[in-house]
Amino acid sequence: PVEVQGEPGNEALQDPPQDASEHAEDRQGGARRNFFWELTAVLAGAIVSVVPMLVGLYTFLLTPFRKKQLPLNYETGTGEGAGANEYFVAPLDAIPVDGMPRRFEIVADRVDGWNFIPHRPIGAIFLSRQQDDGTSPQVVAFHATCPHAGCTVAFSVDSDAFLCPCHNSSFSKDGEKMDLAGRSNPSPRGLDKLQVNQEKLASDGEVWVEYVNYYTGRKEMKPKA
Ligand code: FES
């Protein structure tokens, strides 16, 4: 066989050297890997910088609409047929007809700045139910805050009275100031009685209470703004 070398036009007939083709494949593989890593870096950068911006924009733009969609009682404490600052506390059937005060939490959904906080306890009251008078259920509500300096009272079955643990004030089941033996009573007034919505009580069998916080340390009940 005649070996033809160096003649123009015969290059296509020759096989490329094996190490040269491997080198070319390595370069192509390296280029693909570089492209892959660059693409990954670009995507990661986009996620880190763009996603928080979109979330912030979404929150900023939609919060006013979300607030409008909330039922009224979520924002103002009112519900259909209920007055301002009235909160649903319990079904009437949940309160035994024995005149014994029982503690209930006032729970409400709140919008605080950008945050929606569902089912948040905002205070406590005592409810007691007497025998119905034949016309409507008899439910009485008292604020659980001691009017002296704001501690929370508890009802003592043994003493048959509300007792404050801070400075020994005591109150009867009717919320009146009383002097238990061995206890002084620095409270300037009786427990703060809260308004129960009689209409909701009679028609829906639900206890709705106008929950108002009053200033402590005063003889008169002055609502806080
Ligand atoms: S806070 Fe209740 S007695 Fe002082």
Side-chain angles (χ1 to χ4, degrees):
V2 177
E3 191 175 331
V4 181
Q5 283 186 340
E7 288 190 15
N10 284 339
E11 292 87 348
L13 300 176
Q14 299 175 26
D15 292 334
Q18 195 173 354
D19 58 344
S21 89
E22 284 174 358
H23 187 64
E25 282 175 11
D26 282 351
R27 281 175 49 197
Q28 283 179 350
R32 274 197 298 271
R33 278 193 294 279
N34 282 345
F35 174 74
F36 172 77
W37 286 117
E38 283 171 9
L39 185 64
T40 304
V42 168
L43 287 176
I47 289 171
V48 167
S49 60
V50 174
V51 170
M53 193 179 77
L54 290 178
V55 170
L57 200 60
Y58 170 83
T59 306
F60 176 76
L61 292 176
L62 291 191
T63 293
F65 297 105
R66 286 213 310 269
K67 285 171 83 169
K68 279 181 192 160
Q69 288 165 1
L70 295 175
L72 279 177
N73 62 328
Y74 285 167
E75 287 194 60
T76 64
T78 62
E80 192 179 343
N85 294 320
E86 284 191 345
Y87 294 83
F88 169 73
V89 183
L92 181 61
D93 292 343
I95 310 169
V97 191
D98 57 5
M100 191 68 72
R102 288 176 172 82
R103 190 178 191 276
F104 290 84
E105 281 190 332
I106 302 290
V107 177
D109 294 342
R110 289 306 218 189
V111 177
D112 180 9
W114 298 108
N115 303 314
F116 172 66
I117 309 161
H119 303 295
R120 180 183 176 207
I122 60 168
I125 63 171
F126 283 90
L127 293 178
S128 58
R129 183 179 175 188
Q130 307 284 353
Q131 198 58 250
D132 297 358
D133 65 358
T135 56
S136 60
Q138 302 292 303
V139 175
V140 177
F142 289 108
H143 208 297
T145 298
C146 176
H148 177 229
C151 292
T152 301
V153 300
F155 185 77
S156 163
V157 176
D158 291 344
S159 304
D160 199 31
F162 293 98
L163 304 179
C164 180
C166 292
H167 314 100
N168 290 336
S169 287
S170 47
F171 309 88
S172 69
K173 271 190 210 167
D174 298 330
E176 300 294 329
K177 275 180 64 176
M178 61 187 291
D179 291 314
L180 281 182
R183 293 176 71 99
S184 60
N185 193 334
S187 179
R189 62 177 190 263
L191 288 180
D192 297 327
K193 193 170 184 178
L194 301 175
Q195 211 60 41
V196 178
N197 186 321
Q198 296 300 321
E199 199 181 314
K200 301 286 278 180
L201 209 56
S203 60
D204 302 338
E206 294 178 347
V207 182
W208 287 69
V209 172
E210 184 181 7
Y211 184 72
V212 179
N213 291 311
Y214 294 92
Y215 284 102
T216 58
R218 298 174 182 229
K219 196 156 188 196
E220 76 285 356
M221 288 171 63
K222 182 173 168 45
K224 291 181 179 174

